[in-house]
Amino acid sequence: MGSFPLQRETDFRSFAPAPDRPGPSVVVGTSLPGNPLAPAAARNFVRAALAEWTELGVPAATGFTDRLADDSVLLVSELVTNAVVHAGTAVELLCRLDDAEPGESTGALVIEVSDHHPSRAVRSEQTRPASDTPEYGRGLYLVATLSESWGITYRPGTKTVWARLPVEGVQAVHEIESYASEQALQRGLRAAEILAPLPTRTPHDMEWVNRGALTFLAEASEMLAGQFDEDMVAALAGQLLVPRLADWCAVWLEDGSEGPVRGDPGAPGARLARVWHSSEHRMEELRRVLEKEPPRLPEAADSGAFPIPWPGEALAAGAGSSGAALAYRMAAGGRSLGTLVIGRAGLVRFADEVTGLVEDFTRRVALAISTARRYQRQANISQVLQRGLLPSKVAEIPGVESGLVYEPRDKGGPGGDFYDVFHASEGRWCFALGDVQGKGPEAAVVIGLARPWLRLLAREGYAVAEVMDRLNQLLLDDATEAADAAAAVVAVAGGQGVPPDGPTSRFLSLLYGELVPYEGGVRCTIACAGHPLPLLLSPDGEVREAATPQMLLGVVDDETYTSESFDLRAGETLLCVTDGVTERRSGRSQFDDGDGLAEALAGCAGLDAGLVAERIRRLVHEFSDRPPDDDLALLVLRAR
């Protein structure tokens, strides 16, 4: 039997006969990348290969049956889902038609899935191999125990799991007995159990089932734990269950998560977040039916499995005309989160092993959804808080361009850096750039105290140095009150533990200045308390420091601060940054080592304020391959 070339969008490739097996064969193959769409691509690949061989008149294709097609699609879906989706590896898939071997009356369809990750170890090994024993891939470890009836081939740097299916639909006697005795049950079990040739379940089989279930739950927990979007959790739930444990899956999420456990998909506020089916073309119709008639769960139903009617209208054609469907309530912390529904065609009821496994899996999905909702609530609160702590807009100053960059390290919450540019009085504008010790709520308290007081003192006519003096005293007084309150809490609690909030959380580095425009320039008065010094750029590229360093605010009582004044003339630029810029790290080096910030600013001569801000931001990001590990804020003021 010769080779038949195939040309399709999935990049089918024609191969010579397999090197490990004698005799002629027809082989097609493709590479599957490590992404969640790989199982669907693999199923399409197998279906297309069988159809193409039938069209081309390959002799062995005359023995193709619907059962063979279903088994091969289920088999490849199981292998690729385990290797690609759960283990994250990239694999190669080969399908080949072999002539009959000696002693056999039929040819065979052979499916091979190869894993090319020799450096990854099998995590479910009961005993660790010797340190000098190479391990050729972990991606297919869940089916590795089927080597007695399937096969595993090791080559340098590659591990291949293959299965051989008789083409003419005539199977060995022991396989026929197995299918006859467990036909209804096998449809609801894992692909490994469906295809297992043994007539009865041995202790070895049950040991594999138990170990496989624990591995599946462990990997599912790992995948779900990293998600902070409830819709993504629902999507992953469907992809993890289908087709491994079910033909289709649906997830309803309840918006009113604050109430008691209900778990009714038809309740007000419940929405169908995700529908997943092993046959992609049935998803939309299944969604329409489920949205129109969601399953109803009685009040007495607990978190276990509850049988529901089969959605026959959506699955009326073909093998999906009837089957078993189960609903599971999802709840965490006594709160209703939604409902998970699964279905498998051709079953009277699900096997107990599957029912219990999905129940455990549903608990993990519920916990992941609860975590995602808490994270989203916290992110929403933080965003609202951040909007309240920062100005809604930067004031426009006559004769001055401004450029601003503000990037909190925690994108969902308030950072320790803050800025402000505001109109103080007739002919006077003020600006501030600060950095609070700490992050999150602790920083928000200080920012919420400092920024309004800056505006109030400036508008009352206080000079720059006087504003710094009074803000320093305000922070010290507030820290003392916090310390007194903490001491009272400790006293009431009998001295057990010390509240984390204390005087040190009130430290503030601040760059504060006043601008008074005049004809031909701007008079700038500035004070720098524990903050990176501002830099002044002249039109010819010369850079110098524009202030002298002074003590942090909120550290020393009765500290007297001073200010400095200079003229910001047309074409001159004042750059103010926080330590997220100067202390940006790349290995042991910092961005400002060797006057790095001054050199970067010197290269910005002739640029307007917005371009200067953007160029410094870009240079800071490019300084290291790692993302910034601190808040980033910079303010550029340029006289026109």
Side-chain angles (χ1 to χ4, degrees), residues 115-474:
D115 182 5
H116 296 268
H117 291 275
S119 63
R120 295 185 177 180
V122 176
R123 290 183 289 179
S124 61
E125 290 281 350
Q126 292 185 344
T127 58
R128 292 186 175 274
S131 58
D132 58 347
T133 301
E135 172 53 51
Y136 298 109
R138 68 162 187 169
L140 308 176
Y141 73 94
L142 190 59
V143 295
T145 53
L146 295 175
S147 58
E148 295 179 0
S149 55
W150 294 7
I152 297 179
T153 302
Y154 290 91
R155 301 186 185 96
T158 305
K159 175 183 179 180
T160 299
V161 175
W162 54 267
R164 197 164 188 268
L165 304 177
V167 167
E168 292 185 1
V170 180
Q171 301 171 341
V173 175
H174 63 278
E175 291 179 315
I176 295 175
E177 293 174 351
S178 176
Y179 280 120
S181 62
E182 295 187 339
Q183 183 175 7
L185 177 62
Q186 286 177 341
R187 279 292 183 182
L189 298 179
R190 302 170 185 81
E193 292 179 284
I194 293 174
L195 299 176
L198 298 178
T200 59
R201 297 181 185 175
T202 65
H204 172 75
D205 294 330
M206 295 310 300
E207 178 185 356
W208 180 87
V209 168
N210 294 333
R211 187 170 69 249
L214 292 175
T215 302
F216 169 73
L217 291 174
E219 293 197 348
S221 298
E222 183 179 354
M223 292 184 67
L224 295 170
Q227 302 300 326
F228 297 110
D229 182 284
E230 61 181 71
D231 289 319
M232 180 59 69
V233 173
L236 283 174
Q239 295 181 42
L240 287 166
L241 289 174
V242 178
R244 180 186 298 274
L245 298 173
D247 291 332
W248 58 269
C249 173
V251 178
W252 278 265
L253 295 178
E254 292 186 16
D255 294 333
S257 59
E258 299 297 327
V261 173
R262 297 190 310 276
D264 189 351
R271 62 183 178 88
L272 185 54
R274 186 67 179 181
V275 173
W276 195 262
H277 199 291
S278 57
S279 298
E280 289 85 347
H281 67 279
R282 291 186 173 183
M283 288 186 187
E284 289 304 318
E285 181 62 24
L286 179 60
R287 172 180 286 275
R288 284 193 292 269
V289 171
L290 293 176
E291 286 179 338
K292 181 180 179 181
E293 298 181 4
R296 297 286 182 174
L297 275 67
E299 292 291 336
D302 56 16
S303 60
F306 183 80
I308 61 171
W310 180 259
E313 181 181 343
L315 307 174
S321 58
S322 64
L326 296 175
Y328 295 83
R329 282 181 166 170
M330 296 188 298
R335 295 175 178 175
S336 175
L337 301 175
T339 306
L340 183 145
V341 176
I342 62 170
R344 171 76 79 179
L347 284 182
V348 176
R349 60 180 293 272
F350 274 92
D352 292 340
E353 296 94 333
V354 175
T355 302
L357 179 59
V358 177
E359 183 175 351
D360 287 342
F361 174 78
T362 302
R363 294 193 186 99
R364 287 158 171 79
V365 174
L367 288 174
I369 292 174
S370 178
T371 300
R373 289 186 172 182
R374 287 197 302 269
Y375 174 84
Q376 190 58 51
R377 284 196 295 269
Q378 183 62 45
N380 292 338
I381 292 172
S382 297
Q383 290 172 2
V384 171
L385 181 60
Q386 180 173 319
R387 287 196 296 268
L389 294 175
L390 297 175
S392 57
K393 63 178 182 179
V394 174
E396 294 184 4
I397 306 172
V400 177
E401 301 173 349
S402 62
L404 177 70
V405 170
Y406 177 74
E407 296 179 352
R409 177 188 178 189
D410 183 0
K411 303 300 183 183
D417 293 0
F418 71 95
Y419 64 90
D420 203 356
V421 180
F422 60 92
H423 184 217
S425 62
E426 186 66 28
R428 292 174 56 242
W429 282 261
C430 295
F431 65 92
L433 193 63
D435 186 359
V436 179
Q437 177 179 340
K439 298 289 186 291
E442 295 82 4
V445 170
V446 180
I447 296 173
L449 182 71
R451 199 171 71 84
W453 273 100
L454 278 173
R455 289 195 170 206
L456 178 63
L457 293 171
R459 287 169 178 168
E460 287 294 323
Y462 287 96
V464 171
E466 294 174 325
V467 170
M468 301 291 275
D469 290 341
R470 283 160 176 75
L471 185 56
N472 179 60
Q473 193 60 48
L474 178 67

Side-chain angles (χ1 to χ4, degrees), residues 45-108:
F45 177 88
V46 172
R47 293 190 187 102
L50 297 179
E52 190 79 12
W53 281 329
T54 301
E55 284 183 18
L56 294 175
V58 177
T62 58
F64 287 173
T65 64
D66 291 341
R67 180 59 180 270
L68 175 68
D70 291 343
D71 286 351
S72 60
V73 168
L74 185 61
L75 170 66
V76 75
S77 184
E78 170 72 9
L79 291 174
V80 174
T81 298
N82 180 65
V84 175
V85 176
H86 301 310
T89 60
V91 298
E92 287 185 357
L93 169 63
L94 276 77
C95 299
R96 83 171 177 263
L97 288 173
D98 287 351
D99 283 344
E101 292 186 337
E104 294 183 355
S105 59
T106 66

